[in-house]
């Protein structure tokens, strides 16, 4: 063997990492992207660039072709020849802040580009995300991807490992140190930079092969035809290597062939503390929290309402202008895909993370609003098509009016429940006097008169019409709502209000809620004390803590000094047959900002008015807490805390806490929020926060607590020594204010993470609000709690909390219906969905990407078991046939699943996620 052949291989892959928006707004970057892609095509055609990786996202192609469509043929030719690679994602998202279905839609959207431009990269390329969720290997596997290239969050001592999801799915993973743009960039000093790179890689993986990503953020490629030859001649390199201009395909083929056996396994999320310049940037979980809340709302309407209704109740194409319904199935699907495209374009790590210049995030807000508009339109047209006209026009109702409530899968049964708040219009002199359920029985309702207004309606088949109307806000607790179906309620009207509620003042120390065997008190700092009949006592529930923050959009950086809590001004209580609402008016008096040297909080103070509403529902043990206020302070952070119970008859002192993943959960150790601060340049402190999808739980038995944040992701689990309560404690960040994209003088991260640009809008001055559900003890958040609390086990509780989290994250959707058109026939009082699931949570119901079985339309249903114990699920498919499929919707078998009297039974393994393709036999000719 020659000396050359015995040297380890260094694969040089020329690439670009392209942030659509970051320290420049989108259009500024896109103009440069068009220049870059044109230059790359020219270089390939001139033979001075052998190949180029155009990042891992097809959105770069979409963005270029909108401006320069004439380059499409050139791009397609280079992609099909393998000289340009792109994908497998549509966007490189922050995969911790978006839903699991968002990640799946991301990959599906990219797949739609393949027929147009050519084959996509088949490697799980995600090097720059700020950590990775435990469920990502299973998602990649579901698209036939068994490899990944990662960086941030990977164990720094492992160059290669097998990354394993909770369900056992695994991928061959390369941990690539990503700061390599400068290694070959200039001739001067090239040898020393290359030598340092080779020394580092040799220490991690002595035998190679090694990967050098030649390029970086927004950099045009060097002409590499003669570059490698010049590098081969660099004298005195500390490590000898064979350099070759390569591709990711060639590198992974070599790396997998020569990988050590067995590979070390890494289980769960990748959020390990990195080495030099490998930052996790954890405060991006809470920076500009309004972006995360809006994204949650957009995902919810698309995933849980628009897609299922469009799939289950397709257009009848009647053409009746009085009953518009959905448009043709194809155009409805295109609308939904457009909504997802808007959501996906907000998902990149510099967008949803809130760590870009202010102009970027103004556009993010508009994109989310547009996506919600699209989703709502699809929902309303679907309802109109089945006899539920949500366009309230014509004469106003006087004796009664109708409200329809839509359901989603928020329980293990094919029905769900939860609070409903909806605004209705009536004749100006009419008031709400009662509510009748679909079975004709009166149920509790709470009504607030909003006054008289001129209400407007118009549509394609409706002349614009303004009518004097009285607006009412009604609230009730809906039960047995069919999942992905609906049921109607009749609102009784009269000449005098009969369901109005009035607030009464309550003194501090007085019991504000007496519900079953539970009593609740409000403390001077606006926190709650909750006492159960068995003596279990929780103090400091929903306490608010405000602390100084000298950090930037990437990292929290503490300021010495005590945390500040609010002071209560007044407490009122509103009691109805539906709920008890405790309204706390409080003031948070905090330093106005930082001192001049940024090392302390300022002496001057401002007052932040707070309104805290606590809802205790008659039909649910869960407490719903809503905090709103007007932020007038800078450089601070506001958190809500939830400690373990003070004392019970059970062993005390939790050592870990549970955080929900996309389709699973993980256990994390309790501890301090911040580890030791780094003393060397280019390092980051360990941070004890984690992204939480749905719920976080702490403790066991009657001492347990759980929180269900809505659109809030940064949760910390503190041990007794680190918490203010002296007990194990969960803390969720509600609001974070900072004025810099990046700074170079932090203590928790000892260099910059981007340019030092001012971002005054990241201070989040002005109105804010946040919602958190709270479950205390061994109740599960369900309306009646568990039947046998003593027998409650971890997996039962995990499933119940996951279902409660779905119900809290995605409120039931309700509309007032128009009943004044005598030619209009309303839908049935209760409508069951044609597909129903028992024993599992439903992640998605959608129209299949491609029709199945000789062109007959198919529906995708995805179910999950988010626990560590096997569960049995039953799916009602009636006369349809069900097939097992991957996440990419390709069939795993041509043989349909066995049905018994219309039911398919599945045993779901621990943390299982299954996709079924349902083909309705009745659609066949």
């Amino acid at each position: 063997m020659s000396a050359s052949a015995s040297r380890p291989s260094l694969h040089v892959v020329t690439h670009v990492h392209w942030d659509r928006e970051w320290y420049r707004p989108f259009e500024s970057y896109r103009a440069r992207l068009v220049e870059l892609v044109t230059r790359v095509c020219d270089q390939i055609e001139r033979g001075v660039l052998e190949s180029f990786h155009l990042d891992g996202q097809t959105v770069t192609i979409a963005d270029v072709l909108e401006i320069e469509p004439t380059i499409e043929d050139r791009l397609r030719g280079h992609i099909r020849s393998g000289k340009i690679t792109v994908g497998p994602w549509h966007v490189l998202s922050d995969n911790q802040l978006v839903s699991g279905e968002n990640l799946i839609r991301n990959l599906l959207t990219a797949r739609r580009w393949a027929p147009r431009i050519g084959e996509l990269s088949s490697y799980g390329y995600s090097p720059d995300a700020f950590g990775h969720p435990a469920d990502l290997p299973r998602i990649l596997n579901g698209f036939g991807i068994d490899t990944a290239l990662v960086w941030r969050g990977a164990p720094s001592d492992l160059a290669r490992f097998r990354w394993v999801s909770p369900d056992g799915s695994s991928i061959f993973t390369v941990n690539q140190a990503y700061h390599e743009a400068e290694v070959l960039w200039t001739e001067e000093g090239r040898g020393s930079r290359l030598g340092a790179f080779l020394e580092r890689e040799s220490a991690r993986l002595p035998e190679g092969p090694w990967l050098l990503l030649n390029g970086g953020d927004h950099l045009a490629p060097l002409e590499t035809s003669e570059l490698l030859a010049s590098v081969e001649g660099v004298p005195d390199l500390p490590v000898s290597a064979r350099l070759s201009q390569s591709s990711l395909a060639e590198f992974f083929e070599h790396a997998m062939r020569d990988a050590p056996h067995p590979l070390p396994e890494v289980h769960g999320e990748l959020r390990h503390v990195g080495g030099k310049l490998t930052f996790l940037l954890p405060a991006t979980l809470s920076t500009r929290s309004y972006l995360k809340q809006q994204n949650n709302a957009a995902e919810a309407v698309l995933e849980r309402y628009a897609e299922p209704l469009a799939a289950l109740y397709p257009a009848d194409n009647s053409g009746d202008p009085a009953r518009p319904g959905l448009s043709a199935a194809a155009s409805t699907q295109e609308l939904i895909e457009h909504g997802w495209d808007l959501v996906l374009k907000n998902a990149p790590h510099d967008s949803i993370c809130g760590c870009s210049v202010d102009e970027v995030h103004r556009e993010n807000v508009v994109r989310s609003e547009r996506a919600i508009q699209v989703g709502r339109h699809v929902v309303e047209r679907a309802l109109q098509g089945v006899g539920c006209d949500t366009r309230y026009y014509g004469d106003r109702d006087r004796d009664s009016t109708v409200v329809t409530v839509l359901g989603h899968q928020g329980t293990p049964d094919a029905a769900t429940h939860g609070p409903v708040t909806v605004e209705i219009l009536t004749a100006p002199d009419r008031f709400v006097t009662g509510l009748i359920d679909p079975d004709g029985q009166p149920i509790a309702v709470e009504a607030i008169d909003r006054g008289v207004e001129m209400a407007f309606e118009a549509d394609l088949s409706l002349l614009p019409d303004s009518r004097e109307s009285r607006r009412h806000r009604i609230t009730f607790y809906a039960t047995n709502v069919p999942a992905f179906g609906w049921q109607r309620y009749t609102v009784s009207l009269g000449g005098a209000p009969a369901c109005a509620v009035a607030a009464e003042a309550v003194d501090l120390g007085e019991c504000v809620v007496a519900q079953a065997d539970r009593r609740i008190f409000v403390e001077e700092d606006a926190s709650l004390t909750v006492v159960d009949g068995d003596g279990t006592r929780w103090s400091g529930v929903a306490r608010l803590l405000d602390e100084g923050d000298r950090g930037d959009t990437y990292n929290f950086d503490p300021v010495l000094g005590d945390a500040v809590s609010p002071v209560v001004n007044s407490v009122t209580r509103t009691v109805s047959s539906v709920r008890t609402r405790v309204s706390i008016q409080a003031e948070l008096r905090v330093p106005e900002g930082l001192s001049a040297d940024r090392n302390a909080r300022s002496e001057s103070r401002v007052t932040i008015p707070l309104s805290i509403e606590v809802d205790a529902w008659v039909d649910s043990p869960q407490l719903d807490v809503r905090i709103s206020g007007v932020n007038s302070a800078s450089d601070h952070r506001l958190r809500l805390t939830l400690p373990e119970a003070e004392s019970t008859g059970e062993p005390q002192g939790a050592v870990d806490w549970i955080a929900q993943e996309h389709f699973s959960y993980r256990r994390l150790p309790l501890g301090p929020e911040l580890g030791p601060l780094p003393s060397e340049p280019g390092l980051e402190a360990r941070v004890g926060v984690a992204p939480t999808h749905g719920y976080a739980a702490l403790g066991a038995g009657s001492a347990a607590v759980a929180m269900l944040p809505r659109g809030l992701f940064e949760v910390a689990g503190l041990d007794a020594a680190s918490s203010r309560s002296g007990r194990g404690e969960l803390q969720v960040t509600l609001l974070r204010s900072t004025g810099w994209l990046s700074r170079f003088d932090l203590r928790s991260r000892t260099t910059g993470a981007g340019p030092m640009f001012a971002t005054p809008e990241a201070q989040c001055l002005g109105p804010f609000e946040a919602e958190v559900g709270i479950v205390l003890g061994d109740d599960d958040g369900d309306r009646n709690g568990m039947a046998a609390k003593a027998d409650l086990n971890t997996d039962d509780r995990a499933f119940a909390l996951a279902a409660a989290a779905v119900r809290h994250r995605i409120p039931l959707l309700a509309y007032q219906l128009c009943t004044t058109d005598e030619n209009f026939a309303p839908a049935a009082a209760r409508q069951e969905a044609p597909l129903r699931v028992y024993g599992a949570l439903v992640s998605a119901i959608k129209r299949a990407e491609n029709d199945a079985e000789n062109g007959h339309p198919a529906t995708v249903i995805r179910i999950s078991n988010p626990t560590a114990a096997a569960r049995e699920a039953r799916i009602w498919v009636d006369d349809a046939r069900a097939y097992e499929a991957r996440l990419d919707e390709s069939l795993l078998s041509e043989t349909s699943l066995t049905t018994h009297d219309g039911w398919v039974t599945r045993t779901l393994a621990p943390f299982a996620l299954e996709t079924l393709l349902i083909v309705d036999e009745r659609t066949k000719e």
Side-chain angles (χ1 to χ4, degrees):
M1 180 182 295
S2 67
S4 174
S6 65
R7 291 182 294 163
S9 295
L10 175 60
H11 293 256
V12 180
V13 176
T14 303
H15 82 118
V16 68
H17 173 56
W18 197 266
D19 302 291
R20 295 186 78 241
E21 47 197 19
W22 179 25
Y23 57 77
R24 292 188 176 100
F26 166 64
E27 292 295 353
S28 178
Y29 268 135
R30 175 155 71 172
R32 290 168 170 81
L33 178 62
V34 174
E35 293 176 10
L36 179 139
V37 170
T38 303
R39 183 183 301 187
V40 166
C41 287
D42 290 342
Q43 290 174 319
I44 289 174
E45 289 157 11
R46 288 191 290 113
V48 296
L49 185 63
E50 185 172 314
S51 63
F52 186 73
H53 184 57
L54 186 55
D55 216 1
Q57 46 187 343
T58 54
V59 76
T60 53
I61 304 293
D63 290 342
V64 167
L65 294 184
E66 283 184 1
I67 300 298
E68 187 57 80
T70 61
I71 204 173
E72 181 169 355
D73 288 343
R74 297 171 69 190
L75 269 172
R76 180 167 49 244
H78 295 321
I79 292 171
R80 290 182 174 175
S81 70
K83 293 184 179 296
I84 292 179
T85 55
V86 66
W89 301 98
H90 185 57
V91 300
L92 288 178
S93 70
D94 182 280
N95 41 49
Q96 301 169 115
L97 288 171
V98 301
S99 70
E101 290 297 328
N102 186 308
L103 292 172
I104 294 167
R105 298 307 180 285
N106 193 339
L107 290 162
L108 286 173
T109 301
R111 292 287 174 102
R112 297 187 200 119
W113 278 91
R116 179 173 174 180
I117 62 174
E119 186 176 354
L120 303 183
S121 171
S122 59
Y123 306 98
Y125 185 82
S126 186
D128 204 29
F130 305 155
H132 306 273
D135 288 311
L136 191 58
R138 89 153 92 215
I139 292 173
L140 292 173
N141 279 181
F143 284 79
I145 299 172
D146 60 2
T147 57
L149 180 70
V150 299
W151 170 39
R152 302 183 194 270
S156 58
D157 59 331
L158 296 179
R160 310 278 189 273
F161 56 90
R162 184 151 291 280
W163 182 15
V164 185
S165 280
D167 72 326
S169 303
S170 69
I171 52 179
F172 175 83
T173 306
V174 171
N175 174 11
Q176 177 62 23
Y178 193 62
H179 279 291
E180 297 156 13
E182 74 283 358
V183 172
L184 301 178
W185 188 252
T186 59
E187 185 173 356
E188 183 178 356
R190 184 178 290 157
S192 60
R193 293 192 302 270
L194 179 60
F197 170 79
L198 290 171
E199 274 194 303
R200 187 196 71 200
E201 290 302 282
S202 179
R204 295 200 313 156
L205 196 69
E207 302 301 322
W210 304 317
L211 173 64
L212 173 59
L213 287 171
N214 178 36
D217 297 4
H218 325 116
L219 293 175
L222 301 171
E223 296 188 355
T224 56
S225 57
E226 299 179 1
L227 176 62
L228 297 189
S230 69
V231 172
E232 282 278 12
V234 173
D236 302 324
L237 287 177
V239 175
S240 180
R242 290 182 291 114
L243 276 68
S244 62
Q245 188 165 206
S246 187
S247 66
L248 286 177
E250 292 169 335
F251 166 73
F252 269 104
E253 181 182 2
H254 189 175
M256 294 178 73
R257 184 183 67 236
D258 292 357
H261 294 286
L263 277 172
E265 289 189 352
V266 176
H267 291 256
E269 63 178 0
L270 300 186
R271 289 187 58 83
H272 300 261
V273 177
K276 189 172 184 180
L277 298 180
T278 301
F279 304 133
L280 199 56
L281 309 175
T284 55
L285 297 174
S286 58
T287 297
R288 303 187 200 246
S289 57
Y290 62 90
L291 296 175
K292 287 77 165 170
Q293 292 168 311
Q294 288 176 318
N295 181 72
N296 174 79
E299 290 174 337
V301 72
L302 290 172
E303 290 176 18
R304 298 291 174 154
Y305 292 113
E307 284 186 326
L309 288 176
L312 297 175
Y313 311 100
D316 61 10
N317 296 316
S318 64
D320 182 357
R323 183 172 172 169
L326 289 172
S327 55
S331 56
T332 297
Q333 187 63 20
E334 288 170 357
L335 259 182
I336 292 172
E337 289 172 6
H338 172 58
W340 271 115
D341 185 63
L342 291 166
V343 170
L344 293 176
K345 285 175 178 173
N346 273 350
H349 54 268
D350 296 308
S351 300
I352 196 170
C353 289
C355 53
S356 295
V357 292
D358 291 337
E359 296 93 326
V360 165
H361 301 301
R362 292 180 210 143
E363 291 191 54
N364 296 156
V365 170
V366 174
R367 283 193 205 117
S368 288
E369 290 172 344
R370 290 171 60 197
I372 292 170
Q373 292 163 17
V374 168
R376 285 294 186 110
H377 176 80
V378 171
V379 169
E380 290 160 12
R381 284 295 194 241
L383 287 174
Q384 289 155 18
V386 295
C388 296
D389 194 349
T390 62
R391 305 166 301 166
Y392 192 62
Y393 59 95
D395 295 335
R396 297 308 189 223
D397 291 323
R398 299 190 58 81
D399 298 324
S400 65
T401 191
V402 174
V403 167
T404 192
V405 178
L406 302 181
H408 59 74
Q409 196 83 13
T411 69
D413 300 316
T416 192
H417 52 80
V420 174
T421 296
V422 60
E423 297 204 347
I424 64 172
L425 300 170
T426 67
D429 60 345
R430 310 309 281 173
F431 298 89
V432 175
T433 60
L435 186 68
I436 308 298
D437 73 8
D439 298 320
Q441 301 300 311
I443 63 170
V445 63
E446 175 185 306
I448 298 174
D449 177 15
R450 306 278 284 171
V452 176
E453 63 180 65
M454 292 299 292
F456 175 81
E457 183 60 274
D459 201 356
L460 293 173
S461 58
L462 300 176
L463 288 172
D465 185 36
S466 294
R467 299 278 179 127
E468 188 178 36
S469 311
R470 183 174 294 277
R471 182 176 294 274
H472 314 262
R473 178 177 295 167
I474 65 170
T475 299
F476 58 97
Y477 202 93
T479 60
N480 200 36
V481 183
F484 306 110
W486 62 85
Q487 59 188 25
R488 292 168 45 209
Y489 294 79
T490 301
V491 183
S492 303
L493 304 176
C499 299
V501 291
E504 58 175 340
V506 180
D507 294 330
L508 288 176
E510 182 180 346
C511 176
V512 292
V513 178
Q515 191 178 55
D517 62 348
R518 177 171 287 178
R519 294 178 298 153
I520 302 177
F521 304 84
V522 177
E523 306 299 337
E524 293 181 353
D525 64 356
S527 69
L528 306 176
T529 296
V530 182
V531 182
D532 269 359
D534 63 0
T536 306
R537 177 186 179 92
W538 296 269
S539 60
V541 172
R543 174 182 284 129
L544 299 176
L545 296 177
D546 187 273
E547 55 199 326
D549 183 355
R550 63 188 299 277
D552 54 23
T553 61
Y554 295 109
N555 289 77
F556 168 73
D557 208 47
V559 177
L560 295 178
D562 292 334
V564 180
S565 289
V567 175
V568 172
N569 288 334
S570 66
V571 181
T572 58
R573 173 177 56 200
T574 305
V575 181
S576 74
S577 53
V578 178
R579 64 182 171 185
T580 297
R581 166 165 282 185
V582 179
S583 298
I584 305 167
Q585 301 303 312
E587 291 182 350
L588 186 61
R589 187 160 176 77
V590 299
E592 186 174 19
L594 297 179
S595 61
D597 62 4
R598 296 180 53 84
N599 289 324
R601 302 186 81 172
S602 61
E603 295 293 331
S604 59
R605 290 182 173 253
V606 295
T607 297
I608 298 175
L610 294 176
S611 176
I612 304 165
E613 295 176 338
V614 181
D615 286 336
W617 301 93
V618 170
D619 288 312
S620 172
Q622 178 178 312
L623 298 176
D624 291 339
V625 181
R626 178 178 175 271
I627 302 98
S628 59
V630 180
N631 179 38
S632 55
S634 300
D635 300 296
H636 68 121
R637 181 176 71 171
L638 181 63
R639 287 187 155 190
L640 179 145
T641 71
L642 182 59
E644 285 183 287
E646 289 183 9
S647 61
T648 67
E650 301 180 26
Q652 290 289 294
V655 297
D656 58 15
W657 62 288
I658 292 175
Q660 186 179 8
E661 286 270 10
H662 293 91
F663 304 110
S664 57
Y665 67 79
R666 65 197 183 279
R667 290 188 176 274
L668 298 165
L670 295 176
E673 182 189 349
L674 273 177
L677 299 178
S679 58
E680 298 178 14
L683 297 177
E684 181 184 57
R686 185 201 65 80
V687 179
V689 301
T692 300
H693 281 266
Y695 75 85
L698 170 68
S702 59
V705 294
M707 61 167 55
L708 318 172
R710 182 181 294 171
L712 303 169
F713 291 86
E714 184 181 272
V715 179
L718 304 185
D719 59 11
S722 307
S723 72
R724 182 165 175 169
S725 64
R727 288 164 275 146
E729 186 171 278
L730 299 174
Q731 295 190 354
V732 60
T733 303
L734 309 181
L735 172 73
R736 184 165 182 267
S737 302
T738 181
W740 296 93
L741 192 152
S742 177
R743 289 192 65 91
F744 290 77
D745 60 352
L746 305 190
R747 303 184 182 104
S748 58
R749 190 197 69 235
T750 53
T751 193
M756 191 168 166
F757 287 169
T759 54
E761 292 173 24
Q763 295 285 9
C764 298
L765 302 176
F768 69 92
E769 64 178 53
E771 297 180 69
V772 180
I774 291 176
V775 179
L776 301 174
D778 44 14
D779 283 322
D780 65 348
D782 214 339
R783 60 187 300 264
N784 294 313
M786 281 291 186
K789 294 183 179 181
D791 296 330
L792 189 67
N793 62 57
T794 299
D795 296 305
D796 286 338
R797 182 170 175 79
F799 192 92
L801 286 175
V806 171
R807 295 194 300 272
H808 186 77
R809 185 175 78 89
I810 309 168
L812 294 174
L813 201 55
Y815 290 90
Q816 182 182 15
L817 301 185
C818 179
T819 60
T820 58
D821 186 344
E822 61 184 21
N823 297 318
F824 191 77
R830 177 179 286 116
Q831 176 64 54
E832 298 280 353
L835 291 175
R836 300 193 286 278
V837 175
Y838 294 82
L841 294 184
V842 174
S843 174
I845 294 181
K846 63 184 288 289
R847 184 179 175 87
E849 293 288 300
N850 300 299
D851 289 343
E853 290 208 337
N854 302 317
H856 295 284
T859 300
V860 169
I861 182 168
R862 193 156 24 254
I863 58 177
S864 72
N865 168 21
T867 78
R871 297 183 66 87
E872 183 176 278
R874 296 188 305 130
I875 305 99
W876 168 255
V877 297
D878 198 8
D879 290 332
R881 285 198 286 177
Y883 299 83
E884 291 181 281
R886 296 195 315 189
L887 294 179
D888 64 6
E889 302 179 14
S890 61
L891 293 182
L892 290 170
S893 171
E894 297 290 337
T895 303
S896 63
L897 299 173
T898 302
T899 60
H900 297 281
D901 297 326
W903 293 93
V904 172
T905 300
R906 304 292 293 165
T907 298
L908 300 180
F911 300 119
L913 180 69
E914 287 199 2
T915 300
L916 303 179
L917 205 63
I918 312 297
V919 181
D920 193 339
E921 296 290 289
R922 290 166 294 191
T923 65
K924 290 194 169 187
E925 299 177 358

